[in-house]
Amino acid sequence: DAMVIQNPRYQVTQFGKPVTLSCSQTLNHNVMYWYQQKSSQAPKLLFHYYDKDFNNEADTPDNFQSRRPNTSFCFLDIRSPGLGDAAMYLCATSRGFGGPIKYNEQFFGPGTRLTVL
Amino acid sequence: AQTVTQSQPEMSVQEAETVTLSCTYDTSESDYYLFWYKQPPSRQMILVIRQEAYKQQNATENRFSVNFQKAAKSFSLKISDSQLGDAAMYFCYIGSSNTGKLIFGQGTTLQVKP
């Protein structure tokens, strides 16, 4: 089945220690998104890639970076995690960004729960 | 600018009954679309239903339907014959067909009582 996979499902890191979360997709979608979701809150979009074009949200801290080496994979790098970065991180994909609605349906992965000690 | 408001942080419904979750929005976009997504506890977000703003007909997917009132900028979700598996957090979101910009509402947690 086509899907969005996130690894690991749970990640524990130490304050200030860099951490990388990964996302892969078998849907061959053009767009990949990273969201941060804190408990009982809406997902907050951090950035997205349309193919190789990186699009950062204006309020995303510099501490968060992303890489997309190919269509299938996208990584979220947190350079110096703080206690406030503990959250669920969601990866999602879509065929397009804008345009007809059918291109904008997002498919979500199960998320990676990040704990910062 | 776009905003999405879900004014009910929590709702509950008796199994087999009907419940309506509200969502209001504001946008200056002329061409946009709206989605309802469901996030069950500890499980991934999945699409419930979608609606293009230019369509007057309300979308329906099995037990799920929307009441889309474009002039009032309202996009409520009705769940009929509620089931225990409907218990989840529900998010409304709006996206721009022109720019792709999207905004999530704050979410409504739905409890289904047996």
Side-chain angles (χ1 to χ4, degrees), chain B:
Chain B
Q2 298 184 128
T3 61
V4 179
T5 302
Q6 293 179 247
S7 59
Q8 307 149 316
E10 296 179 355
M11 294 278 287
S12 67
V13 63
Q14 208 69 36
E15 195 176 7
E17 295 191 346
T18 296
V19 65
T20 298
L21 309 184
S22 70
C23 174
T24 58
Y25 63 92
D26 193 14
T27 181
S28 55
E29 299 280 345
S30 58
D31 193 9
Y32 57 93
Y33 47 82
L34 303 122
F35 290 98
W36 278 98
Y37 273 80
K38 166 186 175 181
Q39 188 176 36
S42 302
R43 293 177 62 188
Q44 65 202 80
M45 190 104 68
I46 56 173
L47 177 69
V48 175
I49 200 164
R50 59 189 175 197
Q51 174 84 43
E52 288 161 292
Y54 69 85
K55 287 189 176 178
Q56 294 185 342
Q57 187 173 5
N58 289 324
T60 299
E61 287 287 341
N62 300 315
R63 297 183 294 107
F64 298 88
S65 62
V66 299
N67 183 6
F68 177 47
Q69 302 289 328
K70 190 172 182 179
K73 295 183 177 176
S74 170
F75 181 60
S76 60
L77 174 69
K78 186 172 84 170
I79 306 173
S80 304
D81 186 26
S82 297
Q83 300 175 1
L84 295 178
D86 295 333
M89 196 160 188
Y90 287 80
F91 293 98
C92 166
Y93 92 70
I94 183 170
S96 166
S97 299
N98 297 320
T99 65
K101 182 76 175 176
L102 57 92
I103 301 289
F104 274 87
Q106 306 93 321
T108 296
T109 300
L110 178 66
Q111 181 186 24
V112 181
K113 298 178 180 177

Side-chain angles (χ1 to χ4, degrees), chain A residues 19-102:
Chain A
V19 66
T20 295
L21 310 182
S22 76
C23 177
S24 63
Q25 54 130 342
T26 60
L27 297 159
N28 203 32
H29 281 173
N30 295 313
V31 188
M32 295 187 77
Y33 306 80
W34 279 105
Y35 291 90
Q36 180 192 65
Q37 186 180 28
K38 298 191 174 179
S39 182
S40 299
Q41 295 183 20
K44 178 181 181 299
L45 182 63
L46 297 174
F47 25 59
H48 75 274
Y49 272 95
Y50 194 123
D51 291 331
K52 294 183 179 180
D53 292 334
F54 177 70
N55 298 271
N56 200 28
E57 292 297 301
D59 56 354
T60 298
D62 292 340
N63 199 25
F64 292 87
Q65 304 286 324
S66 186
R67 297 171 282 135
R68 189 179 185 185
N70 54 52
T71 300
S72 300
F73 284 87
C74 195
F75 299 98
L76 170 62
D77 300 310
I78 309 176
R79 294 193 294 186
S80 181
L83 298 179
D85 297 328
M88 177 74 83
Y89 289 89
L90 302 176
C91 175
T93 72
S94 65
R95 277 193 280 177
F97 192 79
I101 191 172
K102 63 182 178 180

